[in-house]
Each structure stands twice: as structure tokens, then as C-alpha cells.
Amino acid sequence: MANGTLKVSNIQTSSGSGTITIGQSGETISIPSGATVSGAGANTPAFAVYQSSNVTLTSSTETKLTWDTELFDTDSAFSSNRFTCPSGGAGKYKFYVAARVSTSADSMNTIYLIFKKNNSYVHSGTVTFYNFTNNDIHTFTPTQTNIITLAENDYVEAYISCDMDISSGTLNATANEFSGYRLIGV
């Protein structure tokens, strides 16, 4: 058979079930730039949001992070400061959160970034500062990632809690980011 371009609307097995193999071992399958991958091969739903203004925090108090700008939301699944798994979107998701924390006080103790699924703790990451008193470090940006399994209508939110000596200063979080996407092949 001569080399050429196969143009069809649909490829399926003659029996309606089974395996369709594209290419063979050692070959590269190319998807052109600008093409859209949908179905099981797409790592969607996906979203990314951020908070551009200061959020005032209270030391030793858990605060739900809020978001004022949506960068993208492939399935319109992000609203009310949470990602909700849409119909047909069940699976494992990779989530990321970052928060730039700043204080005018002279000591930082601990910063916790927390993921909650359906308002229950799933995972938290801790940044601990040892003997940071009377120091010049007043801003730190912790990040946290986690893989969370979601069923339809499960939701994920991000929280922060800081333990700092703010008796004579202020505590803020700004430039916060929150994103997630469904993993494929797992």
C-alpha cells in the first residue's frame, strides 16, 4: 500500500468492540498543534485561579482561601471558591496551591496549606520556621500539591493557617494560586 493520508470521520472495529492499534512499537504518533484531544485521552477537567489582592489572616486560625480571577476552567466546574467534580469527570486529580504570606512582625513559626474534600481534611503541608525571631524574613511562599481521588459532585477547597507572632504586626496572604487537572492513564 502506498503512503498517503487517510481521511475518515470515524474509526472503529468491525465487531464494534475490541482494540484499535494506531502505529507500532518504535513509532511516534503526532497530534498537530491546535488539535483538541477529547474523551479518555484528555486531562480535563482542569482549572487555574488566583487571588490578586491581600487576604488578612489571623494567627492560628484556619482561613479558606478565596479567588478573584479565573485563568481557565475547561468544564465550568470551579465556582464559589471550590472545584466540583463534574458529571463524567470522576478520577484522580493533581491539585496545587500556593500562597505568599507576609508579616510585619518579627517572627514566623508555622504555615499550613490544607486541601479539604467535601469539607474534610485530605492533606496538609507544613512549613516550619525554627528560631526565626528578630529576623529579616517577612515574606514566604509555601506551595502544596496532592493527588486526590474524586467522584462526581465531590468538591475540593484550599485553606491556610499561620502561626506567627503578630502581636505587634499584620499578617497577609496575596498572589495566591489554586489549580488542578484530572490525571489520565491512572
Side-chain angles (χ1 to χ4, degrees), residues 22-30:
I22 300 174
Q24 60 189 14
S25 179
E27 292 182 335
T28 300
I29 307 299
S30 176

Side-chain angles (χ1 to χ4, degrees), residues 36-127:
T36 300
V37 177
S38 63
N43 60 340
T44 57
F47 73 95
V49 294
Y50 71 92
Q51 174 63 271
S52 59
S53 59
N54 266 348
V55 175
T56 302
L57 305 174
T58 301
S59 185
S60 302
T61 302
E62 191 176 280
T63 303
K64 180 178 170 180
L65 290 169
T66 59
W67 317 100
D68 63 9
T69 303
E70 189 174 277
L71 297 174
F72 64 88
D73 182 5
T74 63
D75 292 61
S76 300
F78 191 89
S79 67
S80 301
N81 299 306
R82 67 171 57 157
F83 171 80
T84 302
C85 184
S87 175
K92 294 182 184 339
Y93 285 77
K94 176 96 177 225
F95 288 98
Y96 168 84
V97 65
R100 185 173 67 209
V101 177
S102 60
T103 180
S104 60
D106 287 333
S107 75
M108 297 176 133
N109 298 321
T110 308
I111 301 171
Y112 302 92
L113 286 175
I114 304 157
F115 289 116
K116 287 187 178 183
K117 173 180 158 183
N118 302 332
N119 207 31
S120 296
Y121 288 95
V122 178
H123 186 79
S124 66
T126 307
V127 177

